[in-house]
Amino acid sequence: APDARGLPVRVRGMCYGTDDYIGAGRRWAAGIPVDGVPANPNPARVLNLSLGGSGACGAAYQAAVDEITARGVLVVAAAGNSVGGAVNEPANCRGVLGVVALRHIGSKVGFSDMGPEIGIAAPGGNCINVAPGTPCLYPILAATNTGSQQPLASTWSTSYDITVGTSFSSPLVAAVAGLMASRNPALAPAELVSLMKDTARPFPTSGADNGPGDSTPVPVCGSGAPTGPSGQCYCTTGLCGAGMLDAGAAVQAAAALAPPGTGVTIGLRNADPVAGQTLELFVSGCGGATPASYLWQLIDGGGAATA
């Protein structure tokens, strides 16, 4: 995402975290003052919450989400991983973009929760179509750490040491929101969500299976836990959101709404220019349009450069 940066905010230890910690982290990330903490010099445009509580969205949680959203910050949250159960807070809070996890074929992966509060769906990894002792075919590869009580050597998950879950679906959606905001910084949270929903791909209605030796038909997702033996089911827009996230289409839609000149990038193709070398400049962006002409002008002397 051009000009975008990551803002990691730690709100939990290895085994412990409270709503107060999480709430303070959310507020600080959005640029809202938090007692006892220096002001955030680089407030975020998008917050990813790969975490969840239980039950309906509480009044305090909703008030915090409303305050963050009013600052122009989009909150994206994981649906949860209780095998088709109800969506819990924060993904069920008003104004939060809740994310369901999909299998490689586009059906809802068994572990993912679902419900009418969900806005969109994205890959979450799945390992159903494998025999015991064989590698996971569709994991989400992610950076991880070997420390149990403090940071040690960083590493990556693998097909044997897997990372799957709605916690990985949610940041995919948050990242696409970041890409969209890079192309069109004027978009408000509701506009980012609307464009992602409008450009989402429709859910498949066939092609899924429950793995080797299991011929049980994959059901359509219904209210409550799905009836399939694995928890897998064919998504509906009523329970899995508007459709499957389409990053390319969402970014193009955001760029198409950008005013002329928004997102323009000007650069130098020569990585290490030297005196006497011809310099080649380029421009891209222009709100998704192709530049028709260029006018380069040296200002303030130009040093060794001459027109």
Side-chain angles (χ1 to χ4, degrees):
D3 301 321
R5 289 181 289 176
L7 181 69
V9 180
R10 183 169 181 170
V11 296
R12 294 184 57 201
M14 286 295 296
C15 304
Y16 181 71
T18 69
D19 284 347
D20 288 341
Y21 297 164
I22 297 167
R26 288 197 314 266
R27 290 169 57 84
W28 184 86
I32 301 171
V34 175
D35 290 342
V37 181
N40 180 1
N42 301 295
R45 285 289 311 275
V46 183
L47 301 187
N48 175 69
L49 302 179
S50 287
L51 48 82
S54 60
C57 182
Y61 222 120
Q62 186 62 64
V65 170
D66 292 343
E67 185 177 13
I68 291 168
T69 303
R71 292 224 169 195
V73 180
L74 172 63
V75 182
V76 183
N81 305 313
S82 59
V83 193
V87 180
N88 293 305
E89 68 174 11
N92 61 9
C93 292
R94 184 181 63 254
V96 173
L97 181 55
V99 184
V100 151
L102 299 176
R103 298 182 74 215
H104 64 287
I105 199 66
S107 53
K108 187 198 77 71
V109 68
F111 55 71
S112 178
D113 294 335
M114 60 184 179
E117 306 89 348
I118 294 300
I120 202 161
N126 67 276
C127 304
I128 293 176
N129 292 336
V130 294
T134 58
C136 176
L137 294 181
Y138 304 103
I140 300 292
L141 301 183
T144 183
N145 192 278
T146 59
S148 59
Q149 295 182 338
Q150 62 185 357
L152 292 175
S154 295
T155 184
W156 292 87
S157 60
T158 69
S159 294
Y160 292 94
D161 179 20
I162 64 168
T163 47
V164 297
T166 57
S167 284
F168 300 93
S169 310
S170 180
L172 290 174
V173 173
V176 170
L179 285 166
M180 296 168 70
S182 292
R183 295 301 303 271
N184 190 347
L187 291 174
E191 292 173 311
L192 292 171
V193 173
S194 178
L195 289 175
M196 274 193 273
K197 289 182 175 181
D198 289 345
T199 56
R201 300 182 187 184
F203 294 116
T205 57
S206 62
D209 63 73
N210 289 305
D214 188 345
S215 59
T216 306
V218 175
V220 175
C221 297
S223 58
T227 57
S230 66
Q232 178 191 190
C233 57
Y234 289 114
C235 274
T236 65
T237 54
L239 295 173
C240 299
M244 301 188 294
L245 176 71
D246 188 324
V251 173
Q252 289 177 0
L257 295 178
T262 302
V264 171
T265 299
I266 299 174
L268 182 67
R269 296 197 188 280
N270 313 68
D272 297 299
V274 296
Q277 182 180 17
T278 299
L279 304 181
E280 183 182 354
L281 302 173
F282 71 91
V283 61
S284 63
C286 297
T290 301
S293 62
Y294 305 87
L295 176 62
W296 306 110
Q297 183 178 0
L298 277 174
I299 60 174
D300 197 20
T306 57

